[in-house]
Coordinates of all heavy atoms in Angstrom, one line a residue:
K529 N -33.4 16.2 29.5 CA -34.5 16.2 28.5 C -35.8 16.9 29.0 O -36.5 17.5 28.3 CB -34.9 14.8 28.1 CG -35.4 13.9 29.2 CD -35.8 12.5 28.6 CE -36.4 11.6 29.7 NZ -35.5 11.1 30.7
S530 N -36.0 16.9 30.3 CA -37.3 17.5 30.9 C -37.2 19.1 30.7 O -38.2 19.7 30.7 CB -37.4 17.2 32.3 OG -36.3 17.6 33.1
R531 N -36.0 19.6 30.6 CA -35.9 21.1 30.4 C -36.3 21.5 29.0 O -36.5 22.7 28.7 CB -34.4 21.5 30.6 CG -33.8 21.2 31.9 CD -32.4 21.6 31.9 NE -31.6 21.0 33.0 CZ -30.3 21.0 33.1 NH1 -29.6 21.7 32.2 NH2 -29.7 20.4 34.1
Y532 N -36.5 20.5 28.1 CA -36.8 20.8 26.7 C -38.1 20.1 26.3 O -38.3 19.6 25.2 CB -35.7 20.3 25.8 CG -34.3 20.9 26.1 CD1 -33.4 20.3 27.0 CD2 -34.0 22.2 25.6 CE1 -32.2 20.9 27.4 CE2 -32.8 22.8 25.9 CZ -31.9 22.2 26.8 OH -30.7 22.8 27.1
A533 N -39.1 20.2 27.2 CA -40.5 19.7 27.0 C -40.6 18.3 26.6 O -41.5 17.9 25.9 CB -41.1 20.6 25.9
I534 N -39.6 17.5 27.1 CA -39.7 16.0 27.0 C -39.9 15.5 28.4 O -39.0 15.3 29.2 CB -38.4 15.4 26.4 CG1 -38.2 16.0 25.0 CG2 -38.6 13.9 26.2 CD1 -36.8 15.6 24.4
H535 N -41.2 15.3 28.7 CA -41.6 15.0 30.1 C -41.8 13.6 30.5 O -42.4 13.3 31.5 CB -42.8 15.9 30.5 CG -42.6 17.4 30.3 ND1 -41.6 18.0 31.0 CD2 -43.2 18.3 29.5 CE1 -41.6 19.3 30.7 NE2 -42.6 19.5 29.8
W536 N -41.4 12.6 29.6 CA -41.6 11.2 29.9 C -40.5 10.8 30.9 O -39.3 11.0 30.6 CB -41.6 10.4 28.7 CG -42.7 10.7 27.7 CD1 -44.0 10.6 28.0 CD2 -42.6 11.1 26.4 NE1 -44.8 10.9 26.9 CE2 -44.0 11.3 25.9 CE3 -41.6 11.4 25.5 CZ2 -44.2 11.7 24.6 CZ3 -41.9 11.9 24.2 CH2 -43.2 12.0 23.8
D537 N -40.9 10.1 32.0 CA -39.9 9.5 32.9 C -39.5 8.1 32.4 O -39.7 7.1 33.1 CB -40.6 9.4 34.3 CG -40.9 10.8 34.9 OD1 -40.1 11.7 34.5 OD2 -41.8 10.9 35.6
T538 N -38.9 8.1 31.3 CA -38.4 6.9 30.6 C -37.1 7.2 30.0 O -36.8 8.3 29.5 CB -39.4 6.5 29.5 OG1 -40.7 6.3 30.1 CG2 -39.0 5.2 28.8
M539 N -36.2 6.2 30.0 CA -34.9 6.3 29.3 C -35.1 6.4 27.8 O -35.7 5.4 27.2 CB -33.9 5.2 29.7 CG -32.5 5.5 29.2 SD -31.3 4.2 29.9 CE -31.7 2.9 28.8
L540 N -34.7 7.4 27.2 CA -35.0 7.6 25.7 C -33.7 8.1 25.0 O -32.7 8.3 25.6 CB -36.1 8.7 25.6 CG -37.5 8.4 26.1 CD1 -38.3 9.6 26.1 CD2 -38.1 7.3 25.1
D541 N -33.8 8.3 23.7 CA -32.8 9.0 22.9 C -33.5 9.9 21.9 O -34.8 9.9 21.9 CB -31.9 8.0 22.3 CG -32.6 7.0 21.4 OD1 -33.3 7.4 20.5 OD2 -32.4 5.8 21.6
S542 N -32.8 10.5 21.1 CA -33.4 11.5 20.1 C -34.2 10.8 19.0 O -34.9 11.5 18.3 CB -32.4 12.4 19.5 OG -31.7 13.2 20.5
H543 N -34.1 9.5 18.8 CA -34.7 8.8 17.7 C -34.2 9.4 16.4 O -35.0 9.4 15.4 CB -36.2 8.8 17.8 CG -36.7 7.6 18.7 ND1 -36.3 7.5 20.0 CD2 -37.6 6.6 18.4 CE1 -36.9 6.4 20.5 NE2 -37.6 5.9 19.6
N544 N -33.0 9.9 16.3 CA -32.4 10.4 15.1 C -30.9 10.6 15.4 O -30.6 11.4 16.2 CB -33.1 11.8 14.7 CG -32.5 12.3 13.4 OD1 -31.3 12.6 13.3 ND2 -33.3 12.5 12.4
D545 N -30.1 9.8 14.8 CA -28.7 9.8 15.1 C -28.1 11.2 14.8 O -27.2 11.7 15.6 CB -27.9 8.8 14.2 CG -27.6 7.6 15.0 OD1 -27.6 7.6 16.2 OD2 -27.3 6.5 14.3
Y546 N -28.5 11.9 13.8 CA -27.9 13.1 13.4 C -28.2 14.2 14.5 O -27.3 14.9 14.9 CB -28.4 13.6 12.0 CG -28.2 12.5 11.0 CD1 -29.2 11.6 10.6 CD2 -27.0 12.3 10.4 CE1 -29.0 10.6 9.7 CE2 -26.8 11.3 9.5 CZ -27.8 10.4 9.1 OH -27.6 9.4 8.2
L547 N -29.4 14.3 14.9 CA -29.8 15.2 15.9 C -29.1 14.9 17.3 O -28.7 15.8 18.0 CB -31.3 15.3 16.1 CG -32.1 15.9 15.0 CD1 -33.6 15.8 15.3 CD2 -31.8 17.4 14.9
H548 N -29.0 13.6 17.5 CA -28.5 13.1 18.8 C -27.0 13.5 18.9 O -26.6 14.0 20.0 CB -28.6 11.6 19.0 CG -28.5 11.2 20.4 ND1 -29.6 11.3 21.3 CD2 -27.5 10.7 21.1 CE1 -29.2 10.8 22.5 NE2 -27.9 10.5 22.4
Y549 N -26.2 13.3 17.9 CA -24.8 13.7 18.0 C -24.6 15.2 18.1 O -23.8 15.7 18.9 CB -24.0 13.2 16.7 CG -23.7 11.8 16.8 CD1 -24.3 10.9 15.9 CD2 -22.9 11.3 17.8 CE1 -24.0 9.5 16.0 CE2 -22.6 9.9 17.9 CZ -23.1 9.0 16.9 OH -22.9 7.7 17.0
L550 N -25.4 16.0 17.4 CA -25.3 17.5 17.4 C -25.8 18.0 18.8 O -25.2 18.9 19.3 CB -26.2 18.1 16.3 CG -25.7 17.8 14.9 CD1 -26.7 18.4 13.9 CD2 -24.3 18.3 14.6
A551 N -26.9 17.3 19.3 CA -27.4 17.8 20.6 C -26.4 17.5 21.8 O -26.3 18.3 22.7 CB -28.8 17.1 20.9
C552 N -25.8 16.3 21.7 CA -24.9 15.9 22.8 C -23.5 16.4 22.7 O -22.9 16.7 23.7 CB -24.9 14.3 22.9 SG -26.5 13.6 23.4
S553 N -23.0 16.4 21.5 CA -21.5 16.8 21.3 C -21.3 18.1 20.7 O -20.1 18.5 20.6 CB -20.9 15.7 20.5 OG -21.0 14.4 21.0
G554 N -22.3 18.8 20.3 CA -22.2 20.1 19.7 C -22.0 20.1 18.2 O -21.8 19.0 17.6
L555 N -22.0 21.2 17.5 CA -22.0 21.2 16.1 C -20.6 20.7 15.5 O -20.6 20.0 14.5 CB -22.2 22.6 15.6 CG -23.6 23.2 15.9 CD1 -23.8 24.6 15.4 CD2 -24.7 22.3 15.2

Side-chain angles (χ1 to χ4, degrees):
K529 64 179 185 287
S530 61
R531 303 178 198 168
Y532 300 93
I534 303 173
H535 300 300
W536 293 301
D537 295 328
T538 303
M539 190 173 76
L540 294 165
D541 55 57
S542 299
H543 274 59
N544 180 300
D545 256 343
Y546 307 98
L547 287 176
H548 200 80
Y549 282 116
L550 297 175
C552 292
S553 301
L555 293 177

